[in-house]
PDB file of all heavy atoms in Angstrom:
ATOM      1  N   SER A   1      -3.479   4.799   2.735  1.00  0.00           N
ATOM      2  CA  SER A   1      -2.506   3.704   2.683  1.00  0.00           C
ATOM      3  C   SER A   1      -3.213   2.366   2.914  1.00  0.00           C
ATOM      4  O   SER A   1      -2.884   1.359   2.270  1.00  0.00           O
ATOM      5  CB  SER A   1      -1.381   3.907   3.708  1.00  0.00           C
ATOM      6  OG  SER A   1      -1.792   3.609   5.025  1.00  0.00           O
ATOM      7  N   LYS A   2      -4.194   2.347   3.818  1.00  0.00           N
ATOM      8  CA  LYS A   2      -4.965   1.123   4.027  1.00  0.00           C
ATOM      9  C   LYS A   2      -5.687   0.724   2.740  1.00  0.00           C
ATOM     10  O   LYS A   2      -5.721  -0.461   2.366  1.00  0.00           O
ATOM     11  CB  LYS A   2      -5.975   1.331   5.158  1.00  0.00           C
ATOM     12  CG  LYS A   2      -6.841   0.108   5.421  1.00  0.00           C
ATOM     13  CD  LYS A   2      -7.872   0.365   6.512  1.00  0.00           C
ATOM     14  CE  LYS A   2      -8.789  -0.844   6.690  1.00  0.00           C
ATOM     15  NZ  LYS A   2      -9.832  -0.605   7.722  1.00  0.00           N
ATOM     16  N   SER A   3      -6.259   1.692   2.041  1.00  0.00           N
ATOM     17  CA  SER A   3      -6.946   1.412   0.782  1.00  0.00           C
ATOM     18  C   SER A   3      -5.986   0.850  -0.264  1.00  0.00           C
ATOM     19  O   SER A   3      -6.340  -0.042  -1.035  1.00  0.00           O
ATOM     20  CB  SER A   3      -7.599   2.694   0.244  1.00  0.00           C
ATOM     21  OG  SER A   3      -8.518   3.218   1.162  1.00  0.00           O
ATOM     22  N   LEU A   4      -4.767   1.384  -0.279  1.00  0.00           N
ATOM     23  CA  LEU A   4      -3.758   0.886  -1.219  1.00  0.00           C
ATOM     24  C   LEU A   4      -3.361  -0.550  -0.891  1.00  0.00           C
ATOM     25  O   LEU A   4      -3.139  -1.366  -1.793  1.00  0.00           O
ATOM     26  CB  LEU A   4      -2.542   1.806  -1.190  1.00  0.00           C
ATOM     27  CG  LEU A   4      -2.755   3.188  -1.814  1.00  0.00           C
ATOM     28  CD1 LEU A   4      -1.703   4.175  -1.324  1.00  0.00           C
ATOM     29  CD2 LEU A   4      -2.729   3.092  -3.334  1.00  0.00           C
ATOM     30  N   PHE A   5      -3.265  -0.873   0.397  1.00  0.00           N
ATOM     31  CA  PHE A   5      -3.012  -2.262   0.782  1.00  0.00           C
ATOM     32  C   PHE A   5      -4.148  -3.157   0.281  1.00  0.00           C
ATOM     33  O   PHE A   5      -3.915  -4.269  -0.210  1.00  0.00           O
ATOM     34  CB  PHE A   5      -2.873  -2.393   2.301  1.00  0.00           C
ATOM     35  CG  PHE A   5      -1.541  -1.966   2.852  1.00  0.00           C
ATOM     36  CD1 PHE A   5      -1.455  -0.971   3.810  1.00  0.00           C
ATOM     37  CD2 PHE A   5      -0.370  -2.570   2.420  1.00  0.00           C
ATOM     38  CE1 PHE A   5      -0.224  -0.574   4.334  1.00  0.00           C
ATOM     39  CE2 PHE A   5       0.871  -2.195   2.934  1.00  0.00           C
ATOM     40  CZ  PHE A   5       0.941  -1.185   3.891  1.00  0.00           C
ATOM     41  N   TYR A   6      -5.373  -2.691   0.414  1.00  0.00           N
ATOM     42  CA  TYR A   6      -6.524  -3.448  -0.103  1.00  0.00           C
ATOM     43  C   TYR A   6      -6.406  -3.655  -1.616  1.00  0.00           C
ATOM     44  O   TYR A   6      -6.709  -4.735  -2.130  1.00  0.00           O
ATOM     45  CB  TYR A   6      -7.825  -2.698   0.202  1.00  0.00           C
ATOM     46  CG  TYR A   6      -8.549  -3.132   1.452  1.00  0.00           C
ATOM     47  CD1 TYR A   6      -7.909  -3.199   2.681  1.00  0.00           C
ATOM     48  CD2 TYR A   6      -9.898  -3.460   1.406  1.00  0.00           C
ATOM     49  CE1 TYR A   6      -8.588  -3.579   3.829  1.00  0.00           C
ATOM     50  CE2 TYR A   6     -10.601  -3.839   2.548  1.00  0.00           C
ATOM     51  CZ  TYR A   6      -9.930  -3.895   3.756  1.00  0.00           C
ATOM     52  OH  TYR A   6     -10.603  -4.273   4.896  1.00  0.00           O
ATOM     53  N   ALA A   7      -6.011  -2.596  -2.315  1.00  0.00           N
ATOM     54  CA  ALA A   7      -5.857  -2.716  -3.764  1.00  0.00           C
ATOM     55  C   ALA A   7      -4.846  -3.812  -4.102  1.00  0.00           C
ATOM     56  O   ALA A   7      -5.018  -4.574  -5.064  1.00  0.00           O
ATOM     57  CB  ALA A   7      -5.422  -1.383  -4.363  1.00  0.00           C
ATOM     58  N   TYR A   8      -3.791  -3.906  -3.304  1.00  0.00           N
ATOM     59  CA  TYR A   8      -2.799  -4.971  -3.513  1.00  0.00           C
ATOM     60  C   TYR A   8      -3.403  -6.338  -3.203  1.00  0.00           C
ATOM     61  O   TYR A   8      -3.153  -7.318  -3.919  1.00  0.00           O
ATOM     62  CB  TYR A   8      -1.577  -4.728  -2.637  1.00  0.00           C
ATOM     63  CG  TYR A   8      -0.577  -5.855  -2.685  1.00  0.00           C
ATOM     64  CD1 TYR A   8       0.053  -6.199  -3.887  1.00  0.00           C
ATOM     65  CD2 TYR A   8      -0.272  -6.601  -1.549  1.00  0.00           C
ATOM     66  CE1 TYR A   8       0.966  -7.253  -3.937  1.00  0.00           C
ATOM     67  CE2 TYR A   8       0.631  -7.646  -1.588  1.00  0.00           C
ATOM     68  CZ  TYR A   8       1.241  -7.966  -2.786  1.00  0.00           C
ATOM     69  OH  TYR A   8       2.137  -9.004  -2.842  1.00  0.00           O
ATOM     70  N   ILE A   9      -4.213  -6.432  -2.155  1.00  0.00           N
ATOM     71  CA  ILE A   9      -4.859  -7.701  -1.826  1.00  0.00           C
ATOM     72  C   ILE A   9      -5.628  -8.240  -3.017  1.00  0.00           C
ATOM     73  O   ILE A   9      -5.541  -9.422  -3.367  1.00  0.00           O
ATOM     74  CB  ILE A   9      -5.823  -7.527  -0.623  1.00  0.00           C
ATOM     75  CG1 ILE A   9      -5.049  -7.274   0.669  1.00  0.00           C
ATOM     76  CG2 ILE A   9      -6.724  -8.761  -0.462  1.00  0.00           C
ATOM     77  CD1 ILE A   9      -5.923  -6.847   1.838  1.00  0.00           C
ATOM     78  N   PHE A  10      -6.367  -7.349  -3.696  1.00  0.00           N
ATOM     79  CA  PHE A  10      -7.277  -7.812  -4.748  1.00  0.00           C
ATOM     80  C   PHE A  10      -6.662  -7.814  -6.147  1.00  0.00           C
ATOM     81  O   PHE A  10      -7.237  -8.408  -7.059  1.00  0.00           O
ATOM     82  CB  PHE A  10      -8.550  -6.959  -4.734  1.00  0.00           C
ATOM     83  CG  PHE A  10      -9.463  -7.289  -3.592  1.00  0.00           C
ATOM     84  CD1 PHE A  10      -9.410  -6.571  -2.404  1.00  0.00           C
ATOM     85  CD2 PHE A  10     -10.353  -8.340  -3.677  1.00  0.00           C
ATOM     86  CE1 PHE A  10     -10.233  -6.887  -1.336  1.00  0.00           C
ATOM     87  CE2 PHE A  10     -11.190  -8.661  -2.617  1.00  0.00           C
ATOM     88  CZ  PHE A  10     -11.131  -7.940  -1.441  1.00  0.00           C
ATOM     89  N   THR A  11      -5.523  -7.164  -6.330  1.00  0.00           N
ATOM     90  CA  THR A  11      -4.906  -7.149  -7.669  1.00  0.00           C
ATOM     91  C   THR A  11      -3.551  -7.844  -7.705  1.00  0.00           C
ATOM     92  O   THR A  11      -3.136  -8.311  -8.767  1.00  0.00           O
ATOM     93  CB  THR A  11      -4.695  -5.701  -8.158  1.00  0.00           C
ATOM     94  OG1 THR A  11      -3.704  -5.056  -7.334  1.00  0.00           O
ATOM     95  CG2 THR A  11      -5.995  -4.904  -8.119  1.00  0.00           C
ATOM     96  N   GLY A  12      -2.848  -7.869  -6.593  1.00  0.00           N
ATOM     97  CA  GLY A  12      -1.498  -8.418  -6.571  1.00  0.00           C
ATOM     98  C   GLY A  12      -0.464  -7.503  -7.188  1.00  0.00           C
ATOM     99  O   GLY A  12       0.704  -7.888  -7.342  1.00  0.00           O
ATOM    100  N   GLU A  13      -0.869  -6.267  -7.540  1.00  0.00           N
ATOM    101  CA  GLU A  13       0.059  -5.335  -8.192  1.00  0.00           C
ATOM    102  C   GLU A  13       0.921  -4.635  -7.145  1.00  0.00           C
ATOM    103  O   GLU A  13       0.407  -3.964  -6.244  1.00  0.00           O
ATOM    104  CB  GLU A  13      -0.709  -4.312  -9.031  1.00  0.00           C
ATOM    105  CG  GLU A  13      -1.417  -4.937 -10.229  1.00  0.00           C
ATOM    106  CD  GLU A  13      -2.065  -3.891 -11.122  1.00  0.00           C
ATOM    107  OE1 GLU A  13      -1.559  -2.743 -11.164  1.00  0.00           O
ATOM    108  OE2 GLU A  13      -3.083  -4.215 -11.765  1.00  0.00           O
ATOM    109  N   LYS A  14       2.243  -4.789  -7.305  1.00  0.00           N
ATOM    110  CA  LYS A  14       3.189  -4.274  -6.304  1.00  0.00           C
ATOM    111  C   LYS A  14       3.184  -2.746  -6.200  1.00  0.00           C
ATOM    112  O   LYS A  14       3.574  -2.205  -5.172  1.00  0.00           O
ATOM    113  CB  LYS A  14       4.602  -4.761  -6.644  1.00  0.00           C
ATOM    114  CG  LYS A  14       4.816  -6.252  -6.416  1.00  0.00           C
ATOM    115  CD  LYS A  14       4.834  -6.564  -4.936  1.00  0.00           C
ATOM    116  CE  LYS A  14       5.093  -8.043  -4.667  1.00  0.00           C
ATOM    117  NZ  LYS A  14       6.441  -8.484  -5.045  1.00  0.00           N
ATOM    118  N   LYS A  15       2.740  -2.057  -7.247  1.00  0.00           N
ATOM    119  CA  LYS A  15       2.740  -0.585  -7.186  1.00  0.00           C
ATOM    120  C   LYS A  15       1.850  -0.091  -6.043  1.00  0.00           C
ATOM    121  O   LYS A  15       2.160   0.910  -5.394  1.00  0.00           O
ATOM    122  CB  LYS A  15       2.292   0.022  -8.514  1.00  0.00           C
ATOM    123  CG  LYS A  15       0.841  -0.251  -8.887  1.00  0.00           C
ATOM    124  CD  LYS A  15       0.458   0.419 -10.208  1.00  0.00           C
ATOM    125  CE  LYS A  15      -1.007   0.169 -10.546  1.00  0.00           C
ATOM    126  NZ  LYS A  15      -1.399   0.810 -11.813  1.00  0.00           N
ATOM    127  N   TYR A  16       0.754  -0.809  -5.798  1.00  0.00           N
ATOM    128  CA  TYR A  16      -0.133  -0.417  -4.708  1.00  0.00           C
ATOM    129  C   TYR A  16       0.518  -0.711  -3.356  1.00  0.00           C
ATOM    130  O   TYR A  16       0.454   0.105  -2.427  1.00  0.00           O
ATOM    131  CB  TYR A  16      -1.470  -1.143  -4.817  1.00  0.00           C
ATOM    132  CG  TYR A  16      -2.249  -0.818  -6.065  1.00  0.00           C
ATOM    133  CD1 TYR A  16      -2.631  -1.818  -6.960  1.00  0.00           C
ATOM    134  CD2 TYR A  16      -2.602   0.496  -6.364  1.00  0.00           C
ATOM    135  CE1 TYR A  16      -3.356  -1.521  -8.107  1.00  0.00           C
ATOM    136  CE2 TYR A  16      -3.327   0.801  -7.509  1.00  0.00           C
ATOM    137  CZ  TYR A  16      -3.689  -0.214  -8.388  1.00  0.00           C
ATOM    138  OH  TYR A  16      -4.396   0.083  -9.515  1.00  0.00           O
ATOM    139  N   LEU A  17       1.140  -1.868  -3.237  1.00  0.00           N
ATOM    140  CA  LEU A  17       1.807  -2.246  -1.995  1.00  0.00           C
ATOM    141  C   LEU A  17       2.932  -1.275  -1.666  1.00  0.00           C
ATOM    142  O   LEU A  17       3.049  -0.802  -0.530  1.00  0.00           O
ATOM    143  CB  LEU A  17       2.369  -3.667  -2.125  1.00  0.00           C
ATOM    144  CG  LEU A  17       3.202  -4.178  -0.938  1.00  0.00           C
ATOM    145  CD1 LEU A  17       2.334  -4.314   0.307  1.00  0.00           C
ATOM    146  CD2 LEU A  17       3.859  -5.506  -1.292  1.00  0.00           C
ATOM    147  N   ASN A  18       3.749  -0.953  -2.655  1.00  0.00           N
ATOM    148  CA  ASN A  18       4.898  -0.073  -2.418  1.00  0.00           C
ATOM    149  C   ASN A  18       4.460   1.335  -2.050  1.00  0.00           C
ATOM    150  O   ASN A  18       5.047   1.963  -1.159  1.00  0.00           O
ATOM    151  CB  ASN A  18       5.798  -0.040  -3.660  1.00  0.00           C
ATOM    152  CG  ASN A  18       6.463  -1.383  -3.917  1.00  0.00           C
ATOM    153  OD1 ASN A  18       6.663  -2.176  -2.996  1.00  0.00           O
ATOM    154  ND2 ASN A  18       6.796  -1.666  -5.173  1.00  0.00           N
ATOM    155  N   THR A  19       3.434   1.838  -2.725  1.00  0.00           N
ATOM    156  CA  THR A  19       2.936   3.184  -2.399  1.00  0.00           C
ATOM    157  C   THR A  19       2.323   3.201  -0.999  1.00  0.00           C
ATOM    158  O   THR A  19       2.511   4.153  -0.232  1.00  0.00           O
ATOM    159  CB  THR A  19       1.899   3.651  -3.435  1.00  0.00           C
ATOM    160  OG1 THR A  19       2.457   3.556  -4.747  1.00  0.00           O
ATOM    161  CG2 THR A  19       1.489   5.098  -3.191  1.00  0.00           C
ATOM    162  N   ALA A  20       1.587   2.139  -0.655  1.00  0.00           N
ATOM    163  CA  ALA A  20       0.981   2.050   0.677  1.00  0.00           C
ATOM    164  C   ALA A  20       2.051   2.112   1.757  1.00  0.00           C
ATOM    165  O   ALA A  20       1.920   2.854   2.746  1.00  0.00           O
ATOM    166  CB  ALA A  20       0.182   0.753   0.799  1.00  0.00           C
ATOM    167  N   LYS A  21       3.125   1.347   1.580  1.00  0.00           N
ATOM    168  CA  LYS A  21       4.207   1.352   2.576  1.00  0.00           C
ATOM    169  C   LYS A  21       4.894   2.709   2.637  1.00  0.00           C
ATOM    170  O   LYS A  21       5.209   3.208   3.728  1.00  0.00           O
ATOM    171  CB  LYS A  21       5.223   0.254   2.248  1.00  0.00           C
ATOM    172  CG  LYS A  21       4.708  -1.154   2.489  1.00  0.00           C
ATOM    173  CD  LYS A  21       5.824  -2.198   2.414  1.00  0.00           C
ATOM    174  CE  LYS A  21       6.364  -2.323   1.005  1.00  0.00           C
ATOM    175  NZ  LYS A  21       7.367  -3.413   0.901  1.00  0.00           N
ATOM    176  N   ASP A  22       5.152   3.306   1.476  1.00  0.00           N
ATOM    177  CA  ASP A  22       5.808   4.618   1.448  1.00  0.00           C
ATOM    178  C   ASP A  22       5.006   5.654   2.222  1.00  0.00           C
ATOM    179  O   ASP A  22       5.554   6.430   3.022  1.00  0.00           O
ATOM    180  CB  ASP A  22       5.984   5.091  -0.004  1.00  0.00           C
ATOM    181  CG  ASP A  22       7.107   4.368  -0.728  1.00  0.00           C
ATOM    182  OD1 ASP A  22       7.924   3.704  -0.053  1.00  0.00           O
ATOM    183  OD2 ASP A  22       7.172   4.453  -1.973  1.00  0.00           O
ATOM    184  N   VAL A  23       3.710   5.668   1.980  1.00  0.00           N
ATOM    185  CA  VAL A  23       2.847   6.671   2.617  1.00  0.00           C
ATOM    186  C   VAL A  23       2.758   6.438   4.121  1.00  0.00           C
ATOM    187  O   VAL A  23       2.927   7.374   4.925  1.00  0.00           O
ATOM    188  CB  VAL A  23       1.445   6.670   1.976  1.00  0.00           C
ATOM    189  CG1 VAL A  23       0.488   7.575   2.752  1.00  0.00           C
ATOM    190  CG2 VAL A  23       1.531   7.109   0.518  1.00  0.00           C
ATOM    191  N   LEU A  24       2.526   5.198   4.527  1.00  0.00           N
ATOM    192  CA  LEU A  24       2.393   4.912   5.954  1.00  0.00           C
ATOM    193  C   LEU A  24       3.711   5.161   6.684  1.00  0.00           C
ATOM    194  O   LEU A  24       3.723   5.721   7.795  1.00  0.00           O
ATOM    195  CB  LEU A  24       1.928   3.483   6.179  1.00  0.00           C
ATOM    196  CG  LEU A  24       1.635   3.097   7.633  1.00  0.00           C
ATOM    197  CD1 LEU A  24       0.612   4.039   8.269  1.00  0.00           C
ATOM    198  CD2 LEU A  24       1.154   1.657   7.729  1.00  0.00           C
ATOM    199  N   ASP A  25       4.818   4.806   6.064  1.00  0.00           N
ATOM    200  CA  ASP A  25       6.122   5.054   6.690  1.00  0.00           C
ATOM    201  C   ASP A  25       6.383   6.551   6.834  1.00  0.00           C
ATOM    202  O   ASP A  25       6.981   6.995   7.821  1.00  0.00           O
ATOM    203  CB  ASP A  25       7.241   4.401   5.872  1.00  0.00           C
ATOM    204  CG  ASP A  25       7.266   2.886   6.026  1.00  0.00           C
ATOM    205  OD1 ASP A  25       6.639   2.376   6.967  1.00  0.00           O
ATOM    206  OD2 ASP A  25       7.909   2.210   5.188  1.00  0.00           O
ATOM    207  N   THR A  26       5.929   7.336   5.872  1.00  0.00           N
ATOM    208  CA  THR A  26       6.075   8.796   5.959  1.00  0.00           C
ATOM    209  C   THR A  26       5.241   9.342   7.114  1.00  0.00           C
ATOM    210  O   THR A  26       5.687  10.217   7.866  1.00  0.00           O
ATOM    211  CB  THR A  26       5.654   9.464   4.641  1.00  0.00           C
ATOM    212  OG1 THR A  26       6.448   8.947   3.575  1.00  0.00           O
ATOM    213  CG2 THR A  26       5.850  10.976   4.705  1.00  0.00           C
ATOM    214  N   VAL A  27       4.026   8.828   7.269  1.00  0.00           N
ATOM    215  CA  VAL A  27       3.178   9.249   8.388  1.00  0.00           C
ATOM    216  C   VAL A  27       3.857   8.919   9.720  1.00  0.00           C
ATOM    217  O   VAL A  27       3.901   9.757  10.631  1.00  0.00           O
ATOM    218  CB  VAL A  27       1.793   8.569   8.309  1.00  0.00           C
ATOM    219  CG1 VAL A  27       0.987   8.815   9.583  1.00  0.00           C
ATOM    220  CG2 VAL A  27       1.016   9.074   7.094  1.00  0.00           C
ATOM    221  N   LEU A  28       4.400   7.717   9.824  1.00  0.00           N
ATOM    222  CA  LEU A  28       5.066   7.318  11.071  1.00  0.00           C
ATOM    223  C   LEU A  28       6.284   8.187  11.358  1.00  0.00           C
ATOM    224  O   LEU A  28       6.536   8.576  12.493  1.00  0.00           O
ATOM    225  CB  LEU A  28       5.480   5.850  10.998  1.00  0.00           C
ATOM    226  CG  LEU A  28       4.340   4.826  10.908  1.00  0.00           C
ATOM    227  CD1 LEU A  28       4.902   3.416  10.810  1.00  0.00           C
ATOM    228  CD2 LEU A  28       3.399   4.940  12.101  1.00  0.00           C
ATOM    229  N   GLU A  29       7.028   8.501  10.299  1.00  0.00           N
ATOM    230  CA  GLU A  29       8.243   9.301  10.465  1.00  0.00           C
ATOM    231  C   GLU A  29       7.936  10.738  10.857  1.00  0.00           C
ATOM    232  O   GLU A  29       8.576  11.313  11.732  1.00  0.00           O
ATOM    233  CB  GLU A  29       9.050   9.285   9.162  1.00  0.00           C
ATOM    234  CG  GLU A  29      10.302  10.141   9.201  1.00  0.00           C
ATOM    235  CD  GLU A  29      10.930  10.310   7.825  1.00  0.00           C
ATOM    236  OE1 GLU A  29      10.592   9.553   6.891  1.00  0.00           O
ATOM    237  OE2 GLU A  29      11.765  11.229   7.676  1.00  0.00           O
TER     238      GLU A  29
END
């Protein structure tokens, strides 16, 4: 999920941001 956040930092593509949040939220849950 951290890597996906990085991918969003460098591309601006929301698909990476949304997947990163989904995965991290699942881990927390």
